[in-house]
């Protein structure tokens, strides 16, 4: 068990209302991996917290649901967030999109302590797991790009992406690409997986990975 893992908190958000659906299966697999690695992790369904969209805050208040609880008490304290969503019309679910949209009310002047909120929004590790009926690799690229740009905007690290296919509930387990195993691995490695995203000014080493340690040998023994 990695002691650094224990000190990090991972929030897994499921953007489908189905408790036994394919997006939930990906999230639960990631949760198993995170907990096995010693990470403090929790899994929440966005449908339990979000019941409305972002209104014109100059003329209306935010919906009277549990979004503030989700955002302020679960998302902001987390060190990493894994979003699990189905692919709807080549985009994320409405619940998942509303999660990002509604955050505006907490840092655009209408919420309390907007500077503190913005500071806690930055520097997280982010991951994505998507479930689609199609195996077509491009089906989820719009979602990947959106999360990638959110990571860039908030100075966060987009550390992993899993895509599985299934239509019936739980069918994703039959995907020969083994997305559930990949999600479990992502959960386990969420805070230890190497991340690099070079800029022109970034100091760069000649090798990407650390060289394997040399095998020691003793006289008269095998190396």
């Amino acid at each position: 068990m990695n002691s650094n893992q224990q000190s990090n908190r991972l929030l897994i958000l499921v953007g489908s209302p189905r408790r036994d659906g394919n997006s939930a299966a990906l999230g639960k697999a990631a949760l198993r991996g995170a907990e096995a690695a010693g990470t403090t992790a929790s899994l929440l369904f966005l449908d339990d917290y979000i019941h409305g969209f972002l209104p014109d805050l100059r003329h209306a208040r935010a919906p009277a649901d549990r979004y503030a609880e989700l955002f302020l008490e679960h998302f902001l304290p987390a060190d990493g967030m894994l979003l699990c969503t189905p692919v709807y019309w080549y985009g994320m679910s409405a619940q998942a999109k509303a999660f990002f949209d509604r955050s505006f009310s907490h840092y655009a002047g209408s919420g309390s302590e907007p500077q503190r909120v913005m500071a806690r929004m930055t520097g997280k590790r982010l991951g994505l797991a998507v479930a689609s009926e199609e195996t077509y690799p491009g089906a989820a690229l719009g979602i990947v790009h959106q999360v990638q740009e959110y990571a860039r905007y908030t100075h966060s690290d987009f550390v992993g992406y899993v895509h599985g296919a299934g239509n019936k509930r739980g069918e994703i387990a039959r995907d020969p690409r083994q997305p559930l195993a990949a999600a479990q691995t992502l959960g386990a490695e969420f805070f230890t997986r190497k991340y690099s995203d070079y800029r022109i000014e970034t100091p760069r080493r000649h090798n990407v990975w650390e060289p394997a340690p040399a095998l020691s040998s003793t006289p008269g023994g095998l190396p």
Side-chain angles (χ1 to χ4, degrees):
M1 183 180 297
N2 190 311
S3 60
N4 291 330
Q5 294 277 83
Q6 286 183 289
S7 63
N8 288 311
R9 290 165 292 183
L10 173 62
L11 175 63
I12 301 170
L13 296 178
V14 179
S16 169
R18 289 181 169 181
R19 270 45 180 177
D20 58 350
N22 293 310
S23 297
L26 289 168
K28 292 171 184 176
L31 180 66
R32 290 193 298 271
E35 291 178 338
T39 299
T40 301
S42 58
L43 184 149
L44 302 176
F45 286 83
L46 291 173
D47 201 55
D48 289 334
Y49 295 86
I50 299 175
H51 299 153
F53 301 116
L54 181 69
D56 183 346
L57 296 172
R58 296 169 297 179
H59 305 292
R61 293 185 178 182
D65 55 16
R66 299 173 62 195
Y67 178 79
E69 174 192 344
L70 172 67
F71 185 74
L72 298 174
E73 299 178 23
H74 295 283
F75 175 70
L76 288 187
D79 302 293
M81 188 267 282
L82 173 65
L83 177 66
C84 305
T85 180
V87 177
Y88 291 159
W89 283 106
Y90 307 100
M92 64 179 64
S93 69
Q95 293 94 328
K97 182 63 165 61
F99 170 78
F100 294 104
D101 293 347
R102 290 276 299 274
S103 67
F104 182 77
S105 63
H106 291 284
Y107 62 81
S110 56
S112 60
E113 302 183 89
Q115 296 301 321
R116 183 187 70 85
V117 168
M118 284 191 287
R120 288 299 296 136
M121 286 176 67
T122 64
K124 297 184 185 296
R125 286 203 148 208
L126 303 175
L128 176 66
V130 298
S132 69
E133 182 180 359
E134 299 168 296
T135 61
Y136 167 51
L141 289 185
I143 307 174
V144 173
H145 181 69
Q146 195 165 10
V147 174
Q148 176 184 321
E149 289 304 296
Y150 177 84
R152 182 194 61 82
Y153 186 75
T154 59
H155 300 287
S156 298
D157 296 341
F158 184 22
V159 298
Y161 158 56
V162 175
H163 180 195
N167 191 11
K168 294 182 178 179
R169 301 183 187 201
E171 190 182 17
I172 199 168
R174 298 171 57 190
D175 187 333
R177 296 171 299 177
Q178 299 185 313
L180 297 184
Q184 185 167 336
T185 298
L186 177 58
E189 299 176 351
F190 208 85
F191 294 104
T192 58
R193 181 172 291 189
K194 182 180 178 64
Y195 175 81
S196 57
D197 183 11
Y198 293 135
R199 308 293 193 274
I200 194 169
E201 72 280 5
T202 304
R204 299 172 68 171
R205 301 172 61 182
H206 293 296
N207 54 300
V208 174
W209 306 105
E210 295 296 331
L215 295 175
S216 59
S217 60
T218 56
L222 293 174

